[in-house]
Amino acid sequence: MSFELPQEVEETRKRARNFALREFTKELIEHFDETEEYPNEIRKKVFDAGFITIENPWNMLVTMEEFCRVDPGIGLSTLASVFGSEILLLYGTDEQKEKYLYPTLKGEKISAVAVTEPGAGSDVAGISSRIEKSEKGWILNGHKMFITNGTVADHYYLLARSAPPPSKEKRHHGLTLAIVERKWNGVNPVKLKGKLGMRATDTAEITFENVLVPNENIVGEKGKGFYIIMTFFNISRVYVAAQSVGTAQGILDLLLEYLAEKPASFREMEYVQFALAEISTLIEAARNITYKAAAKVFSFNPDPALTSMAKYYAAEVANQVANIAFKIVGMEASGSKLEKLYRDAKITEIWEGTSEIEKLVISRMILKKIQEVK
Ligand SMILES: Cc1cc2nc3c(=O)[nH]c(=O)nc-3n(C[C@H](O)[C@H](O)[C@H](O)COP(=O)(O)OP(=O)(O)OC[C@H]3O[C@@H](n4cnc5c(N)ncnc54)[C@H](O)[C@@H]3O)c2cc1C
């Protein structure tokens, strides 16, 4: 048994780190954090350098880690320009792949996943956007919230209700997934500004008014969209775990840079040494659980509880590490890159399932074991 990643993946890691150190300059990091613009030119360079690939998902995973280590905002927004691609890979028709997936994977289009609504975030089955059959196709009416890439995406993978739930217990039935283009009549995205962190990512509120969706844009079986989205989350959560590990590692890098400037007597203080030991141990554990969950997902043998553990744990670690580092650096962190990473870390506990939702997924799986031991 080996704990090493293949050499090809380690080489990608090195390339990703060098790329991020070269391209995500201090000036650009500050620029995108202040202006909240979408880093489109860097996104194109990321494609040209070949970092976005479906050939070997490990390459994307370590790239996510290394990019977020240097800057989570730019790193995530460039890699998430293909957000939701696994949905079409697994459930798309050949025509959908030709029209939407392959151009996205070549960097010619940007995609987004639109699930959350003003009244339904964690409660995915509670969404109220409606997609109804009409003579010419389907008619979509609804309201989506906090959609990453919302104003820059060419198309959204959108979940809406196509039939009333058959019962209270089966609220997740009757949801359908559709590909909706941003430029269609009736689609109105509005950029949300002033986020705490990850300000280089584009986030939007989107309304849909009588949008005509052609029949061929329905993904998978109608009424089964909930299962498609949950399958997708079981994949995307390992990338959020990698984002968290990278962010935590970036915070440790900054702390070491800070300590290098301090007298040896400061570094020798017990509380500083204990903090470094704690941070390194937390990161090592988060990285290991992330890779274990990813190994299952990437070999088509996902373990949803393990994936949720990785996402939950790595996100908690990113925030814990940010807290510990902040305490050591104190007021000097104010306005620094450490403060930025502290702000950027928070989202890992929220998107792709909050920490509470991940814990519910884990405990449901554990509770199933009671049935098995009975
Ligand atoms: C910057 C950003 C980008 C995002 N990008 C996207 C995107 O691209 N696409 C998309 O669809 N969504 C996106 N989201 C939405 C994100 O997935 C939701 O914010 C998240 O799922 C939580 O939903 P909510 O904000 O409605 O909070 P709520 O679901 O209202 O939760 C509020 C609090 O209650 C807790 N809670 C909720 N239900 C339970 C429960 N059953 N048991 C215990 N505790 C519970 C939560 O953990 C949380 O602490 C984004 C959000 C942000 C902030």
Side-chain angles (χ1 to χ4, degrees), residues 83 113-118 120-123 145-148 195 201 203 347 350-357 360:
F83 194 36
V113 175
V115 176
T116 305
E117 298 186 353
S122 301
D123 181 20
M145 194 63 172
F146 299 137
I147 305 307
T148 300
K195 296 196 297 278
T201 61
T203 312
I347 192 64
I350 300 172
W351 60 19
E352 308 299 288
T354 64
S355 292
E356 288 71 29
I357 295 305
L360 286 177

Side-chain angles (χ1 to χ4, degrees), residues 8-206:
E8 176 212 336
V9 179
E10 286 304 341
E11 274 161 20
T12 301
R13 179 198 295 286
K14 263 189 228 146
R15 270 198 331 112
R17 173 136 182 88
N18 290 337
F19 178 92
L21 287 172
R22 190 177 64 243
E23 299 293 339
F24 306 175
T25 61
K26 183 174 179 290
E27 292 70 31
L28 285 178
I29 292 172
E30 285 172 6
H31 171 81
F32 289 112
D33 188 47
E34 277 162 28
T35 62
E36 302 182 50
E37 282 168 21
Y38 181 72
N40 203 29
E41 291 310 310
I42 308 184
R43 177 189 72 89
K44 289 179 191 160
K45 287 186 182 176
V46 168
F47 271 98
D48 291 345
F51 287 116
I52 299 198
T53 162
I54 50 164
E55 310 291 308
N56 183 350
W58 283 104
N59 286 330
M60 278 280 274
L61 195 87
V62 296
T63 301
M64 178 68 84
E65 201 182 318
E66 293 304 327
F67 277 14
C68 291
R69 180 176 174 185
V70 179
D71 186 59
I74 299 177
L76 191 288
S77 59
T78 54
L79 296 177
S81 61
V82 297
F83 194 36
S85 290
E86 292 86 352
I87 293 172
L88 285 197
L89 260 179
L90 294 174
Y91 299 97
T93 61
D94 289 347
E95 292 72 26
Q96 289 169 348
K97 288 178 186 166
E98 274 309 320
K99 189 166 178 190
Y100 297 105
L101 177 65
Y102 302 142
T104 305
L105 294 175
K106 281 191 220 149
E108 295 160 6
K109 287 183 190 282
I110 296 176
S111 57
V113 175
V115 176
T116 305
E117 298 186 353
S122 301
D123 181 20
V124 172
I127 59 168
S128 55
S129 292
R130 300 195 62 82
I131 189 160
E132 287 158 333
K133 194 78 192 82
S134 76
E135 260 178 41
K136 290 185 188 159
W138 295 75
I139 300 293
L140 169 68
N141 280 288
H143 191 171
K144 295 290 176 185
M145 194 63 172
F146 299 137
I147 305 307
T148 300
N149 299 337
T151 72
V152 295
D154 294 277
H155 56 278
Y156 313 122
Y157 304 117
L158 180 142
L159 193 68
R161 184 158 287 288
S162 54
S167 66
K168 212 174 151 196
E169 293 71 37
K170 293 188 175 163
R171 288 165 70 238
H172 57 294
H173 289 205
L175 300 174
T176 292
L177 206 117
I179 308 168
V180 178
E181 294 187 21
R182 174 170 60 89
K183 293 205 171 139
W184 284 349
N185 282 342
V187 180
N188 298 300
V190 176
K191 188 172 172 94
L192 298 172
K193 293 190 91 177
K195 296 196 297 278
L196 171 73
M198 300 301 277
R199 292 156 69 115
T201 61
D202 179 77
T203 312
E205 174 172 8
I206 315 171

Side-chain angles (χ1 to χ4, degrees), residues 275-291:
L276 283 176
E278 225 175 286
I279 288 176
S280 325
T281 309
L282 288 168
I283 296 174
E284 186 62 23
R287 183 175 287 118
N288 277 292
I289 195 170
T290 298
Y291 290 180

